[in-house]
Amino acid sequence: MQSGKSRLYPEIDFDAPGKRTGFLRLPHSVHRSAYGWIPIPIVAIANGTGPRVFLMGGNHGDEYEGQVALGKLIRALDPGEIQGRIIILPSANFPAAIAGSRTSPIDQGNLNRSFPGDPDGGPTAQIAHYIETELLPRSDFVLDIHSGGSSLTYRPSTLMRRPGPDRFDRGAEMMRTFGAPVGYMVDGGWGEHTLTAAAARAGTFHMSTELAGGGQVTPAALAIAEGGIRRVLAKLGVLAEAPAPSGPPTRLMQVRGQDYYCYAPEPGLFEPLVDLGDEVAAGTPAGVIHCQDTPWREPALAHFGHAGIVICKRVPGRVERGDCLYHLATDLET
Ligand SMILES: [Zn+2]
C-alpha cells in the first residue's frame, strides 16, 4: 500500500536564492545505525527568475564523467552568474555510485529501470519516486548524464526519445548545442521505467548523454561533458556565455530498433572485428566468440543485423550469450 508521500528529506530549500549544498536524507535503519540515513548530495543554485534546470549524474553508479563534471560545476558556479534555478543531483543512485557499480549494492536496483518508483520500496525505488514526484515537476529541462559504464564504451553522444513534430527541431538544436560528436534520437527505447519516461510524464524536456565509459574518465570525454553542460545552460538562458565546441559539428543520427544492436550468440571470449566509428553493412561480421572450454571447436561469429555506424562497443573480453557487443546508429531521417 503506497502512502504517496516521499520519506526523503531535503536539507536544502530549492526555492531560496544563492547556492545551497546539502543532502537528501533517505532513512535507512541498519545494524550499524538504527536511526541513520543515506546522504545523497544535492545542490540548488538560484538567482532571480528564469529557466528551471535539473542536472543529474550517477543514475548508474559506474558512469563517472557526469559525476565529475557536475562536481566541478557545483564548485565553480557563482549564483550571480546564473539566471533562474539549477538543481544538481550528481550521484543520483548514491549507494551505487560509492560502490562504483551500475546498480545499488543494497537492493540491486537499477535506478533507470525503477521509475515511477515507490515511496515505500527499497532505496532505489524511493530515489526514483523522489525524482519523479519532487524534482522533475520543479524543472523545465532535465539533462541526465550517462556513459557506457563498466561494460560499454561510446562515441560520445547526446540522445533523446524522438520528440513529436512540435518539439523535433528544438530537440535537434539542443543536441547540436551540447556539441558531442554524435546526437541520436531513439524510437521506443527501454519502456516506461526510465528517467526519459518519467520526464515525459512530468512534461519536462529531457536530454541524456552517453559519454565514452569503459569504467574510467578520460580527459576528452570530460571536456565534452563540461563544455556541453555549459553550452546547454547558455542556450536555455541560465548562463550568459559558454565555451564553443572544439570538435566537428554534431552528427545527428537515430537508433530505431533491436536490429541496431548486436549480441553475443554464445558464451566465450570476445574478439572485436570492428571499432567505434566504423561503417558496417547488414551481415558484416562483428566479432568472434572463442570457446574457452573446448578451444579446438570453431568459434562462433556475431554479425550485424543492420547497416550503420558503430557508436557503442563492449569493453570486457569475457561474454555470456545475450551480452551486447555493439550498437549502431544511422543518419537521422525526419
Ligand atoms: Zn547509464
Side-chain angles (χ1 to χ4, degrees):
M1 189 71 166
Q2 287 194 12
S3 65
K5 179 77 179 144
S6 178
R7 287 201 294 266
L8 271 68
Y9 168 78
E11 290 183 343
I12 62 171
D13 179 353
F14 298 122
D15 298 317
K19 187 192 308 195
R20 313 273 156 186
T21 61
F23 301 98
L24 291 176
R25 298 183 176 192
L26 195 165
H28 193 55
S29 177
V30 290
H31 175 75
R32 198 200 79 249
S33 180
Y35 302 146
W37 39 272
I38 297 170
I40 306 169
I42 189 161
V43 176
I45 308 173
N47 184 39
T49 54
R52 304 174 308 160
V53 181
F54 175 29
L55 303 174
M56 181 166 144
N59 186 332
H60 294 127
D62 62 341
E63 301 172 6
Y64 306 118
E65 295 89 337
Q67 300 186 56
V68 173
L70 291 178
K72 292 174 85 167
L73 187 75
I74 288 166
R75 296 191 298 278
L77 271 189
D78 182 83
E81 286 178 80
I82 76 154
Q83 201 61 44
R85 191 198 44 217
I86 312 172
I87 294 176
I88 307 175
L89 190 66
S91 301
N93 196 350
F94 186 70
I98 54 169
S101 167
R102 179 172 177 82
T103 53
S104 173
I106 299 174
D107 57 12
Q108 278 65 55
N110 178 342
L111 179 57
N112 215 28
R113 304 290 183 274
S114 299
F115 293 91
D118 179 354
D120 300 317
T124 308
Q126 290 190 50
I127 295 167
H129 179 265
Y130 188 83
I131 291 169
E132 174 133 0
T133 59
E134 297 289 342
L135 298 181
L136 288 173
R138 285 184 162 86
S139 311
D140 308 310
F141 186 97
V142 57
L143 178 63
D144 182 24
I145 306 170
H146 290 254
S147 80
S150 308
S151 72
L152 301 169
T153 184
Y154 266 87
R155 196 131 156 66
S157 303
T158 39
L159 68 147
M160 62 180 58
R161 186 184 275 187
R162 186 185 293 268
D166 54 323
R167 285 185 162 191
F168 189 90
D169 289 346
R170 182 167 182 234
E173 186 58 24
M174 291 313 296
M175 295 202 295
R176 280 196 202 94
T177 298
F178 190 93
V182 172
Y184 63 91
M185 291 183 180
V186 182
D187 295 275
W190 301 101
E192 294 310 305
H193 299 290
T194 61
L195 183 81
T196 312
R201 286 191 287 272
T204 305
F205 198 103
H206 167 272
M207 184 163 79
S208 185
T209 72
E210 293 291 1
L211 296 168
Q216 61 173 339
V217 178
T218 65
L222 194 58
I224 292 169
E226 290 186 67
I229 293 165
R230 284 180 174 269
R231 284 187 284 278
V232 165
L233 290 174
K235 183 78 179 175
L236 294 169
V238 177
L239 282 178
E241 54 186 23
S246 55
T250 299
R251 182 169 180 173
L252 293 182
M253 307 192 82
Q254 60 190 7
V255 174
R256 300 215 88 158
Q258 269 301 308
D259 58 353
Y260 279 59
Y261 293 78
C262 175
Y263 293 95
E266 298 285 341
L269 294 180
F270 169 42
E271 176 192 349
L273 295 177
V274 301
D275 214 337
L276 290 179
D278 287 353
E279 184 163 4
V280 301
T284 298
V288 184
I289 310 298
H290 296 273
C291 186
Q292 290 167 286
D293 55 9
T294 42
W296 46 88
R297 242 183 63 191
E298 272 304 303
L301 256 187
H303 296 88
F304 289 104
H306 200 280
I309 305 291
V310 177
I311 64 164
C312 173
K313 172 178 177 280
R314 179 177 174 83
V315 175
R318 168 72 201 178
V319 295
E320 298 295 331
R321 178 180 292 139
D323 283 345
C324 181
L325 303 178
Y326 296 100
H327 87 77
L328 305 169
T330 53
D331 283 317
L332 184 64
E333 297 161 44
T334 55

